[in-house]
Amino acid sequence: MQLPPFEYIRPESLAEGLQALAEHGDKIAIMSGGSDLLINMKFRLDGPEYLLSLNGLPELQLIEELDDGSLRIGAGCKLTELANNALIKERYPALQAAIFSVGSRHVRNMGTIGGNICLDTRCWYTNQSETWRDTRDGCFKTDSEQCHVIKTTTKCHALSSTDSGPMLIALDASVVLASQAGERVVPVREFYQDDGLDHTVLEPGEVLVAVIVPPPRGRAVFAKLAQREGLDFAAGSFAAAVSGSNEKLDSVCLVMGSVAPEPRVMEQAGKILMDAGLTDESIDAAAGAARLSLDEVTNLFTPPGYKKRLIRALVKDALTELRDQAVRG
Ligand SMILES: Cc1cc2nc3c(=O)[nH]c(=O)nc-3n(C[C@H](O)[C@H](O)[C@H](O)COP(=O)(O)OP(=O)(O)OC[C@H]3O[C@@H](n4cnc5c(N)ncnc54)[C@H](O)[C@@H]3O)c2cc1C
C-alpha cells in the first residue's frame, strides 16, 4: 500500500516544529515513531499535506528525576528504551508491564510514549483498507453521519486502545503540552475525552512534550487481554493503583482501556474497594460493578456478552493479584 503524497518537515528543534504547526494549521500532522499514523495514511484515514516528524528531537528524549521524586519522561522516548529502563522497572513495574505489552518488539522499537498516549481511536469498521471500507457506507470517522457499531448513536464510538494511557491515569501522571503560546500541564485523567473523533484535549498547534509520573505511593497492576499476545491491540485492558493495606485502602484508582473512546475510570468499583478493602467479596463485587462505568461495549468482533464477561474476568484477576502482592510483601 502506497502513502499519499505529503511534504515532510524535519525540524532541528522543538521551537522550529511548533512554528511549523502554527503555520500549517489543520493541514499538518504530527508524527513521532509513525507506527500508527503511517498505517492510517496508507489506509487513507489520514491525509495531511505536511507531516511534522518529531523523531529524534533531543528535547523530547530526556528521562529525568525531578526534585519531588517524580519522573519526567520525554514524549520522544521509544517504548523499548522505557521498557528496559532500570528506574521504571524498579519504581513503576506496572507501567513497565503496560509499555511492554504494546504490540511486538518491532512496534516498540519504533513507537514512542508520546505517540502511544496520543494514539488515535480505532474501530473494526474503519481501521481497514479503503477497498474494504468501500463495501459499505462511510461513518463519522470518514464521510458519513453514522456509526456501524451503535446504529442509534449520534457520535463516533471508536475505541481508545492505548496501553500506557489507563496505567498513567491510575498512577496519577500528568502530560506537558507545548505550543508557541507556552506550556500547560494536564492530568492524564483529564487529557482524554469521550469522543472517537476528538479524543484528547490537544489544541491545534500543541505537541505533547513529556509525561510526569509522581513518586509511587502504593501498589499497581496492569492486565491486558489480546487475541494474539505480542502483536494485537487489547480486547480489554485494566490498570489499577492502590495505597494502604488490604484491610483499609487509602486511595484507589481503577481504569479500563479499549472499551470506550477514552480510558474509563471505574468510579463505582473503586468506591466498593475504598469502603471494604481488598477481600474476596469486595473484589467480586467490584468486578461486577465494573460494567456500570461503561456504556454499550460492542466495538469488537464478538457478541457484547463476551466483552462484559471479559471485563469482569480481567478486573477480578488483576485485583486478586493486587491483593496478593501485599500478602507476599
Ligand atoms: C501491529 C501493531 C500492533 C500494535 N499494538 C499496539 C498495542 O498493543 N497497544 C498500543 O497501545 N498500541 C499498539 N499499536 C499502535 C502504535 O504502534 C503504538 O501505540 C505506538 O506507541 C505509537 O507511537 P508512535 O510514536 O509510533 O506514534 P505515531 O504513529 O507517530 O503517532 C500516533 C498518533 O499520535 C499523534 N502524536 C504522536 N506523537 C505526538 C506528540 N508528541 N504530540 C501530539 N501528538 C502526537 C500522531 O499525530 C498520531 O495521531 C500497534 C501498532 C501496530 C502496527
Side-chain angles (χ1 to χ4, degrees):
M1 238 178 282
Q2 300 265 318
L3 281 167
F6 58 86
E7 191 174 313
Y8 185 64
I9 301 176
R10 181 138 201 190
E12 295 283 322
S13 65
L14 179 62
E16 213 179 279
L18 293 176
Q19 179 167 350
L21 277 184
E23 208 171 295
H24 298 296
D26 60 5
K27 296 194 178 79
I28 190 165
I30 300 170
M31 182 182 86
S32 288
S35 62
D36 194 66
L37 180 69
L38 293 177
I39 295 176
N40 286 345
M41 286 171 66
K42 287 183 177 180
F43 279 1
R44 303 301 190 263
L45 289 169
D46 272 306
E49 277 181 39
Y50 302 90
L51 196 58
L52 175 70
S53 171
L54 302 179
N55 221 349
L57 274 186
E59 298 99 313
L60 305 185
Q61 308 295 321
L62 297 176
I63 304 176
E64 44 184 342
E65 218 179 326
L66 305 181
D67 289 344
D68 69 351
S70 300
L71 198 63
R72 189 182 198 275
I73 304 171
C77 292
K78 300 283 184 191
L79 298 176
T80 296
E81 181 193 348
L82 298 179
N84 293 323
N85 181 281
L87 213 51
I88 295 179
K89 268 188 189 171
E90 185 200 325
R91 283 207 207 155
Y92 311 101
L95 178 60
Q96 193 247 351
I99 292 170
F100 191 70
S101 82
V102 174
S104 61
R105 181 181 303 172
H106 317 81
V107 172
R108 293 191 297 276
N109 285 346
M110 278 184 76
T112 63
I113 187 73
N116 190 248
I117 295 170
C118 296
L119 183 68
D120 200 3
T121 54
R122 304 177 60 75
C123 172
W124 286 109
Y125 290 95
T126 312
N127 290 79
Q128 305 287 351
S129 67
E130 229 180 351
T131 320
W132 193 100
R133 291 200 309 272
D134 277 351
T135 58
R136 59 174 62 231
D137 293 337
C139 69
F140 289 112
K141 271 247 178 183
T142 55
D143 54 3
S144 173
E145 298 283 298
Q146 62 177 327
C147 171
H148 298 300
V149 179
I150 300 175
K151 309 277 181 218
T152 51
T153 188
T154 52
K155 66 168 200 175
C156 171
H157 286 267
L159 300 180
S160 161
S161 299
T162 162
D163 286 322
S164 66
M167 196 66 245
L168 290 167
I169 293 175
L171 294 174
D172 202 20
S174 300
V175 282
V176 183
L177 310 179
S179 69
Q180 282 203 310
E183 280 191 356
R184 61 180 178 132
V185 179
V186 178
V188 182
R189 189 174 180 149
E190 292 163 25
F191 179 68
Y192 295 105
Q193 327 193 104
D194 189 17
D195 180 347
L197 289 187
D198 190 16
H199 74 297
T200 73
V201 299
L202 267 175
E203 297 284 348
E206 261 185 337
V207 169
L208 191 155
V209 291
V211 54
I212 299 175
V213 193
R217 278 186 290 233
R219 293 163 277 143
V221 69
F222 176 78
K224 166 174 170 177
L225 194 119
Q227 272 159 340
R228 291 166 298 182
E229 218 174 279
L231 184 68
D232 276 328
F233 287 90
S237 67
F238 177 62
V242 300
S243 63
S245 66
N246 280 348
E247 292 71 33
K248 177 79 191 78
L249 294 171
D250 299 327
S251 68
V252 175
C253 186
L254 311 178
V255 192
M256 195 85 207
S258 288
V259 287
E262 59 178 357
R264 190 57 66 82
V265 178
M266 298 150 84
E267 305 279 3
Q268 288 103 319
K271 186 167 180 324
I272 291 172
L273 301 186
M274 275 306 277
D275 290 345
L278 277 166
T279 64
D280 279 346
E281 294 73 29
S282 69
I283 289 174
D284 208 38
R291 170 73 187 87
L292 302 175
S293 307
L294 309 171
D295 329 303
E296 295 204 53
V297 281
T298 55
N299 203 333
L300 183 70
F301 260 142
T302 59
Y306 172 82
K307 196 141 192 171
K308 288 177 198 161
R309 289 200 299 279
L310 180 151
I311 291 162
R312 194 186 175 103
L314 258 184
V315 173
K316 190 169 175 176
D317 286 357
L319 291 180
T320 305
E321 165 60 24
L322 205 52
R323 183 196 59 191
D324 294 350
Q325 274 182 18
V327 176
R328 289 197 299 267

